[in-house]
Structures are given as C-alpha cells and as structure tokens.
Amino acid sequence: MRHGKRWIAAAAVLATLTATGCSGGGGGDGKVTLTYATWSDDQKPAMEAIAEAFEGSHPDIDVQVQVLPWPEYWSTLQVGAAGRTAPDAFWMLADQFPTYAKGNQLLDITDAVKTAGVDLAAYPKAVLDLYDVDGKLYGLPKDFDTNAIWFNKALFDKAGVAYPDDSWTWENAREAARRLTNPAAGVWGIAAPIDRQGGYYNSIYQAGGKVIGDDGKAAIDSPEAISGLQFWTQMHADGLSPTLKQLSDTEAVQMFMDQKVAMYFSGSFWAQRLYGDQALRPHVGVAPLPKAKQRATMISGILNAGYAGTEHPKELAEFLIFASGRDAAVIQAKSGAVLPAYQDTQQGWLDAMPEFNLKVFVDAVDYSVPLPIAGDAAKWTGLETQYLGPAWEGKQSAADAARAYNTAINEVLAQ
C-alpha cells in the first residue's frame, strides 16, 4: 500500500487542507464540500469516479479527492486531527486506527449504518474485527488485501526454474531464489525487505508462531516466530536479496518492475501498478505464498473513516457508507484499483486484469490471518527496523534481534 515520496504533491495538498480549515465547508454555490484524502495516485481515478457517483445522487454535496504521498499522508493527518484541519474523509489502516479511535478523532457512524440498513455480513469479518472498538463503527472497509508471490516469468525461464505453484514450501522458495540470483547480470532471486505485512508476519504464522500471543503480549521471540524471521535473514546472508541499503534506495516493487528481482512476496494492492506496465505485464506471474508447518497470509484492508471534527457529520456519514458500499466496490473492481471488500464484487477486479492469476489472492482468504494489532500498534511496528535491521544485515542473530524487539513491543504495550 506504500508509494514513493512526492514532495511537491504533498505540499500542495497540505496547503489545500490548511486553507480549507476545519474539515470541509460550504461551497460558494451553497453546496457542502467534503474533502477525501488518500495516499495512492494509482487509485485516484477510481476514487474520483466514486466521488462523482456519490455526487450524482447527492447534488448538494461536492467531494474533493486529494492525494498525499506516503509517509507525508500520516504526518499531515496527525497534525490535521490535532489542529482541527483534518480532511473530512480519509483512508485508515489497522495499525494506526487505535490511536485515532481512542483519541476521539474519528466520526462514530454506528447509528448512520443502522439507519441505512447496511449489512455488515457483506464485509470480511477479519477486516471488520480489526476496526472494532466496543461495538462502535468508525467507518467501513473499502478493500481487503492478502499476499502471494509475484514472479517474473522471463527470469524464471532464463534460469530454467519451474514457476511457483501451490505445492511450494520454504525450501522450494530458497532453492529457486538461489538459482535465479545472477550477480553478473545484477539480478537477485528475491527481494527481502523488512516488510511485516507482505513478508515476515506471514512466515511467522507459516512456521506456527504468532506476533502477539493469546495473552495480549508480544510473542515474536518464540522458536516458531524466530524461524519465520530466519526465512528472510538467511536470504540476505546468502546474497539472494538486495541489501537493506539497496532496498531503502529503491523500493522492492520498483526493483521487481525493473526486472532486477525475480520474486517479490507482497500484496494484491500492487496488481494495478504492475498491470499498468505494458512491457512488464506479459512477464508477471502470481502464485500462493510457500508453506512451512502450515499455509498462512496476512489479511487487512483500508477503512473509509471520517474526522470527528467535521462540520458536516450527516453528509460525511452518508459518503463513508456509499464509498464502502456495493456501487463503489464495483467501480473499484472494474478499474482494477484494488480488491474490493464488499461481497460478490471481486470478480470485476479479476476481470480487469485477466492476464494475471489474481484469483490466488481471493483464494488466500481461506487461510488468512488478521493483521496483528495490539495497543499502540503504530508505535511498536515503527520500531521494527531499529530492532530487526541488525539481523537482516547479518550483524546480529535473528534470535537475539527477536528477543530485543519482543521486549520493546511489550514495553509499548504496557504503557
């Protein structure tokens, strides 16, 4: 879900939000104006189409879609929520959600959802549960994402390696990465960034471990969890992945798009970007993540949330419900923007990019695990590079790094 820095765009949007004042306002023509902040240029056309469709049935409301790049999106939202200049509607992630919900910065739309007769069973329960606070609703999911292996068929063919399939284990993935790595050609078998959602969380659960235990405390130092971390640290130790420095200079998905990486384990949210590269498109394949003790993938999703300080709570609630409803889901799906959360609308997403075997991501729901969230998740996940980086760089064992990180997580949870 992350995108590169676009400083000029961020400055322009920040200026717009500041000028707008306290979330939204009244237009010169008597219309109510709602701002809708997102972080994806790739999804902007679909979001604008959704806004236009909503305006068609709500002629007195004008929705302005605004895009900020990651991570400026979060800093702008944080400042805006504290200073009462936040956008009316915005995207929310599960690890950031608790801070905003507990800070009373999100609009409670529980009653509006009931009045509108929204069927909550239409959304993946695992995603809804990520955003549950004492039974209150602060938004509805617009999409969901699972993970799979994105792979380059041309590089596999050149190396004489069979394509990944649903029989793959960790050993198959390691062996393929070894055979695909070609230092002379500047090609690595796999990209192994410190990526919790697309990377090491998945392998921890595949090994039978957990990130947060049943007791609500960190469990990333268990033997199973350490094994999940070692799946990635060993890739670096063997020289099968670009270094952390290289992956910080150029994001992993871009290295995959540049055909310098043969495999990239990540989410369904990259489909549109990869499909949009016409030169790369014929070479892109998709397969399930490999399994260890069991098959597992993270599942999460973006929430369409609203600012509690909006000047137009009624209109905002109506927009949030629409933006996560069936009609909006169909628009998202047909555009290829993202895998929509609303039930029975995913086929349009599959049909939008027929050359890709995207059904892999839908099938992955059956063995998915909700993204681990506890306490101030944004704070302790923000420490991952500090504590896990030395293991990825070969300066510390995965076990030692896991124990140190486990302690740090528990310190945050205890606050």
Side-chain angles (χ1 to χ4, degrees), residues 285-310:
V286 189
L289 292 178
K291 56 187 175 182
K293 288 185 179 179
Q294 59 193 21
R295 194 179 296 283
T297 178
M298 291 295 103
I299 185 171
S300 187
I302 295 174
L303 190 79
N304 274 319
Y307 178 46
T310 180

Side-chain angles (χ1 to χ4, degrees), residues 16 29 43 61 69 74 103 113 115 141 146 152 160 174 219 244 249 252 262 289 318 401:
T16 300
D29 55 2
Q43 293 192 45
I61 303 176
W74 295 106
V113 167
T115 300
T146 56
N152 186 302
R174 289 192 187 102
L244 282 188
D249 291 341
L289 292 178
E318 291 175 359

Side-chain angles (χ1 to χ4, degrees), residues 204-220:
I204 283 174
Y205 283 85
Q206 289 161 8
K210 294 182 178 180
V211 175
I212 302 296
D214 295 337
D215 59 359
K217 296 181 180 180
I220 206 167

Side-chain angles (χ1 to χ4, degrees), residues 8-72:
I8 295 176
V13 174
L14 179 56
T16 300
L17 293 180
T18 303
T20 300
C22 178
S23 67
D29 55 2
K31 286 187 176 182
V32 167
T33 298
L34 299 176
T35 51
Y36 181 30
T38 76
W39 61 72
S40 172
D41 278 334
D42 296 334
Q43 293 192 45
K44 185 179 181 181
M47 298 307 103
E48 289 179 332
I50 289 170
E52 184 177 353
F54 176 75
E55 291 167 349
S57 57
H58 298 76
D60 294 331
I61 303 176
D62 178 38
V63 179
Q64 298 179 352
V65 177
Q66 302 166 333
V67 179
L68 292 87
W70 187 293
E72 289 82 358

Side-chain angles (χ1 to χ4, degrees), residues 200-201 218 220 380-385 387-388 400-410:
Y200 70 89
Y201 276 8
I220 206 167
W380 58 260
T381 57
L383 301 174
E384 64 183 356
T385 299
Y387 286 96
L388 299 181
D400 287 344
R403 283 190 283 268
Y405 189 30
N406 202 79
T407 298
I409 294 173
N410 280 330

Side-chain angles (χ1 to χ4, degrees), residues 22-365:
C22 178
S23 67
D29 55 2
K31 286 187 176 182
V32 167
T33 298
L34 299 176
T35 51
Y36 181 30
T38 76
W39 61 72
S40 172
D41 278 334
D42 296 334
Q43 293 192 45
K44 185 179 181 181
M47 298 307 103
E48 289 179 332
I50 289 170
E52 184 177 353
F54 176 75
E55 291 167 349
S57 57
H58 298 76
D60 294 331
I61 303 176
D62 178 38
V63 179
Q64 298 179 352
V65 177
Q66 302 166 333
V67 179
L68 292 87
W70 187 293
E72 289 82 358
Y73 176 92
W74 295 106
S75 60
T76 301
L77 185 60
Q78 182 180 25
V79 171
R84 300 189 64 79
T85 60
D88 296 284
F90 44 83
W91 290 354
M92 179 56 60
L93 290 180
D95 58 354
Q96 299 281 345
F97 174 74
T99 299
Y100 288 88
K102 293 176 182 178
N104 298 317
Q105 294 169 325
L106 302 180
L107 181 68
D108 183 350
I109 64 170
T110 307
D111 291 340
V113 167
K114 290 180 180 178
T115 300
V118 176
D119 181 9
L120 296 180
Y123 302 94
K125 185 178 184 302
V127 180
L128 276 176
D129 288 348
L130 289 173
Y131 297 103
D132 184 286
V133 178
D134 300 327
K136 294 182 179 180
L137 290 173
Y138 294 100
L140 293 168
K142 68 176 281 292
D143 58 42
F144 73 88
D145 49 77
T146 56
N147 298 281
I149 303 174
W150 294 104
F151 65 94
N152 186 302
K153 297 177 183 178
L155 293 177
F156 270 74
D157 292 343
K158 186 175 182 179
V161 178
Y163 297 161
D165 59 31
D166 61 5
S167 70
W168 261 34
T169 65
W170 283 7
E171 289 306 316
N172 295 126
R174 289 192 187 102
E175 176 61 18
R178 185 187 66 77
R179 293 176 60 189
L180 289 159
T181 298
N182 185 345
V187 172
W188 289 272
I190 192 169
I194 301 178
D195 179 359
R196 58 187 178 275
Q197 187 169 343
Y200 70 89
Y201 276 8
N202 299 284
S203 53
I204 283 174
Y205 283 85
Q206 289 161 8
K210 294 182 178 180
V211 175
I212 302 296
D214 295 337
D215 59 359
K217 296 181 180 180
I220 206 167
D221 63 346
S222 71
E224 295 83 3
I226 291 170
S227 175
L229 296 175
Q230 288 172 333
F231 173 80
W232 298 102
T233 59
Q234 193 62 48
M235 295 288 190
H236 279 275
D238 294 342
L240 308 182
S241 167
T243 65
L244 282 188
K245 175 63 167 60
Q246 290 168 318
L247 289 168
S248 67
D249 291 341
T250 306
E251 59 181 353
V253 69
Q254 187 59 53
M255 297 188 81
F256 178 81
M257 294 179 70
D258 292 339
Q259 304 198 61
K260 296 299 183 181
V261 162
M263 290 185 290
Y264 178 38
F265 293 14
S266 194
S268 49
F269 41 80
W270 290 123
Q272 186 185 42
R273 182 168 173 182
L274 299 178
Y275 195 79
D277 188 327
Q278 295 187 11
L280 177 68
R281 184 191 301 171
H283 307 306
V284 175
V286 189
L289 292 178
K291 56 187 175 182
K293 288 185 179 179
Q294 59 193 21
R295 194 179 296 283
T297 178
M298 291 295 103
I299 185 171
S300 187
I302 295 174
L303 190 79
N304 274 319
Y307 178 46
T310 180
E311 296 177 356
H312 308 289
K314 177 179 179 295
E315 292 84 354
L316 176 56
E318 291 175 359
F319 173 69
L320 294 176
I321 292 170
F322 180 89
S324 292
R326 176 179 290 277
D327 291 346
V330 169
I331 292 172
Q332 285 190 101
K334 289 183 176 179
S335 72
V338 74
L339 187 52
Y342 202 92
Q343 69 179 8
D344 299 331
T345 62
Q346 290 79 34
Q347 188 61 46
W349 184 72
L350 305 181
D351 293 342
M353 296 168 282
E355 290 94 330
F356 291 176
N357 180 29
L358 296 178
K359 193 172 183 296
V360 165
F361 293 106
V362 178
D363 293 342
V365 173

